[in-house]
Amino acid sequence: MTHRSPDAAPWWRSAVVYQIYPRSFQDTTGDGVGDLAGIARRLDHVVALGVDAIWISPIYPSPMKDFGYDVADYCAVDPLFGTLADFDALVAAAHARGLAVLLDFVPSHTSDEHPWFRESRSSRENARRDWYVWADPAPGGGPPNNWLSEFGGPAWSLDEATGQYWLHIYLREQPALNWRNPDVQAAMLDVMRFWFDRGVDGFRVDAVEHLVPSAALTDNPPDPAWRPGMQEARALHRAYTAHQPEVFDAARAMRRVAGEYAPERLLIGEAYGTLPEVMAYYGGEGLDGFQLPFNFQLIFAEWRAESIASMVEGYEAALPAGAWPNWVMGNHDRPRIAGRIGPAQARVAAMLLMTLRGTPTIYQGEELGMVDVPIPPEMAHDPMEKNAPGQGFGRDPVRTPIPWEDGPKAGFTTDEPWLPIGGAPPVSAQAADPGSMLALYRRLTALRRAEPALSLGSYRTLACADDVLVFERRHGERRLVVALNFADAERPLAHEGPVLLSTHAGDRVAGRLAPNEGRVMEG
């Protein structure tokens, strides 16, 4: 990959990140599951989309209880996806095309099949016992406290042989590492170095908010916002399991490792929390934490112009001095944006994502306007669905394979795909259609690349009324105006500058926005 000169803005500030869920991108072995060679085969699609970096969800050896987020070996590739040689070839191919490569880093827990946990579980005296979080039963018996697993039920499982419970914020097969143990921290930081030495340009750090839960094991208080029908884990406020002070020390330690490499490598943190909690991951005055703590607000936002404007203003105001914003519409855990707000507004959402100040992340399939694909109960894979069937928590519908071509296997595989394929017209059809969602995303990324006002410029809200949000992006003397119509009806527009890009084809009426239209105009 060609990096910018040291005196230029870091490459990731003007970049667009594209998340690849490898199981569902492209299969080359005929087993119905995507692989590393498949990613390499489809890099031309990524390049044509106009993004700058790919983030690859976990590819490590794993029993796949949580589809790779239960890691059995941090320094290898699961045979399902290929080999280390395949990974090296993918990195080389991506760099040759000017693409950065980011990996998922899963530091808070391993698989229960990881050799470290097998040793830790073997006896209380084992040298690796303290590598995981163990605790005695409560005085009256049962789990040490009331902490809940994100997947339902207690966050503790009893090891009958040793008489203690192990902590698992997620599945019982995902025991929590003890980051208070210096040996654990050193081992995990060495994992980062292993992949950095292979050419990785950064990491998306998984579930970092749970990295160092309270050592006092204090009960979490009830969450008054919880209602029946919500996830069981949300019944308690995560006061003692998330965003503890030691988490931010760990983030700074990871950043120091990233800083050992020239140029400094990128760290994106996954931390769901309040705005102040998320901002803390940037670090102190020196911004010595993650460069980009993920901003998930658009995933949960009420889709109204006024709500979006207020959210953007609040986020911009909360950023520490010098911190760089970022935006994301969806990921492998959350319902797809096109299904949440409908296909017409999904085009407005695409323009919003690509024109706000900050680094955007596209989840694979968003560029096609994919919606969640219904999964028959007998085909469900996700433990979120299996543990609470029929309650709508399953993530399989957002993880379905990319439809590349027409036909029953959609060019994804020659065998039965691991999940049903659908959710959008195929890439081949959209690439040939100038009015497609794919064509719109390509135009948006091209405009963003051509206009520093969009990639690096300042942000200012100009107006927000009657379902229309209008904002300014400015870089030097160059001023652009973005107008977004959140209504399914025509709306007046005061600004009438030359139109650089519209979500709609055909003629435009001066002073009027078409229903569900977004425009980028000269100032």
Side-chain angles (χ1 to χ4, degrees):
M1 176 187 177
T2 302
H3 289 283
R4 296 165 186 251
S5 61
D7 57 339
W11 66 269
W12 43 265
R13 289 201 171 207
S14 60
V16 178
V17 179
Y18 183 77
Q19 181 191 356
I20 291 177
Y21 193 71
R23 295 181 68 92
S24 295
F25 201 62
Q26 176 66 58
D27 171 28
T28 62
T29 61
D31 62 0
V33 178
D35 45 55
L36 291 172
I39 297 173
R41 175 181 161 189
R42 296 295 187 180
L43 281 180
D44 287 347
H45 168 74
V46 179
V47 172
L49 182 58
V51 304
D52 304 274
I54 56 174
W55 148 34
I56 305 172
S57 293
I59 55 171
Y60 313 107
S62 168
M64 299 294 168
K65 298 292 185 180
D66 190 24
F67 296 96
Y69 287 96
D70 49 324
V71 179
D73 183 347
Y74 284 101
C75 297
V77 171
D78 194 291
L80 184 70
F81 300 121
T83 64
L84 275 173
D86 292 327
F87 178 79
D88 293 340
L90 172 59
V91 171
H95 285 177
R97 290 166 169 81
L99 294 170
V101 177
L102 313 176
L103 273 187
D104 237 311
F105 180 46
V106 188
S108 69
H109 53 265
T110 70
S111 164
D112 62 348
E113 296 186 18
H114 196 292
W116 296 346
F117 186 69
R118 288 179 172 172
E119 289 185 49
S120 181
R121 191 176 184 178
S122 64
S123 77
R124 292 197 186 196
E125 291 71 37
N126 187 274
R128 284 208 167 101
R129 183 67 169 187
D130 193 45
W131 280 47
Y132 292 82
V133 180
W134 292 93
D136 291 328
N145 61 22
N146 73 342
W147 293 353
L148 294 174
S149 161
E150 294 292 304
F151 287 88
W156 299 94
S157 287
L158 178 64
D159 180 59
E160 294 184 359
T162 61
Q164 285 189 313
Y165 284 81
W166 77 83
L167 176 67
H168 52 88
I169 298 294
Y170 296 91
L171 292 175
R172 70 184 307 275
E173 295 89 354
Q174 293 172 294
L177 284 164
N178 177 17
W179 267 73
R180 288 190 172 84
N181 183 325
D183 293 335
V184 170
Q185 185 167 145
M188 295 305 291
L189 297 180
D190 279 345
V191 168
M192 297 177 68
R193 294 184 181 98
F194 174 87
W195 293 103
F196 282 148
D197 289 342
R198 299 194 89 90
V200 167
D201 300 285
F203 289 101
R204 175 266 194 184
V205 184
D206 177 69
V208 69
E209 75 236 45
H210 296 299
L211 195 62
V212 195
S214 170
L217 304 185
T218 308
D219 278 358
N220 277 331
D223 190 334
W226 185 84
R227 298 289 182 272
M230 297 172 65
Q231 284 181 266
E232 181 185 358
R234 299 287 82 80
L236 300 178
H237 176 55
R238 302 176 300 171
Y240 298 102
T241 49
H243 312 296
Q244 301 302 295
E246 297 90 342
V247 170
F248 306 108
D249 294 333
R252 284 188 283 269
M254 294 180 201
R255 178 67 177 275
R256 286 194 292 272
V257 173
E260 293 172 6
Y261 294 81
E264 184 180 47
R265 303 301 196 250
L266 172 64
L267 298 180
I268 303 174
E270 184 204 28
Y272 288 91
T274 65
L275 205 52
E277 286 169 340
V278 172
M279 293 301 151
Y281 288 91
Y282 280 106
E285 291 185 5
L287 300 179
D288 56 353
F290 298 143
Q291 295 100 321
L292 297 177
F294 256 143
N295 168 25
F296 295 116
Q297 292 186 98
L298 287 176
I299 292 179
F300 303 105
E302 181 185 11
W303 200 254
R304 295 173 52 251
E306 294 78 6
S307 298
I308 298 295
S310 175
M311 184 199 68
V312 174
E313 292 279 358
Y315 176 71
E316 284 277 356
L319 286 165
W324 189 247
N326 68 90
W327 299 94
V328 56
M329 291 283 188
N331 56 38
H332 60 289
D333 289 330
R334 305 294 170 180
R336 288 189 176 275
I337 183 68
R340 297 200 308 268
I341 63 176
Q345 277 296 304
R347 298 175 71 88
V348 173
M351 181 169 282
L352 177 69
L353 180 67
M354 289 297 147
T355 57
L356 285 172
R357 189 176 80 99
T359 302
T361 295
I362 302 169
Y363 174 48
Q364 67 173 50
E366 286 177 5
E367 77 275 22
L368 306 178
M370 281 182 72
V371 299
D372 295 2
V373 176
I375 306 298
E378 67 274 11
M379 293 190 69
H381 291 270
D382 182 24
M384 294 279 278
E385 174 66 23
K386 292 183 175 182
N387 290 350
Q391 296 186 35
F393 303 141
R395 300 165 295 176
D396 290 329
V398 308
R399 299 176 173 185
T400 56
I402 293 290
W404 295 102
E405 304 162 3
D406 287 319
K409 306 293 191 300
F412 167 71
T413 184
T414 56
D415 197 359
E416 288 302 313
W418 77 287
L419 284 174
I421 301 177
V427 172
S428 58
Q430 294 205 35
D433 177 6
S436 69
M437 179 67 93
L438 177 59
L440 174 61
Y441 262 97
R442 288 176 173 178
R443 292 199 302 272
L444 284 165
T445 56
L447 183 63
R448 196 185 150 83
R449 190 181 296 270
E451 293 282 358
L454 291 179
S455 58
L456 293 170
S458 62
Y459 171 92
R460 182 167 69 99
T461 301
L462 298 178
C464 184
D466 199 21
D467 303 311
V468 175
L469 171 60
V470 184
F471 57 87
E472 169 193 275
R473 299 298 311 280
R474 183 187 290 271
H475 187 268
E477 298 299 315
R478 181 65 163 167
R479 179 178 185 262
L480 301 181
V481 174
V482 180
L484 304 172
N485 184 1
F486 287 73
D488 190 23
E490 193 177 78
R491 289 290 188 264
L493 178 65
H495 188 84
E496 297 186 22
V499 177
L500 299 180
L501 197 156
S502 170
T503 57
H504 284 40
D507 295 332
R508 285 172 290 278
V509 179
R512 309 291 294 180
L513 277 175
N516 307 299
E517 183 189 5
R519 287 186 198 172
V520 181
M521 299 163 282
E522 292 184 347

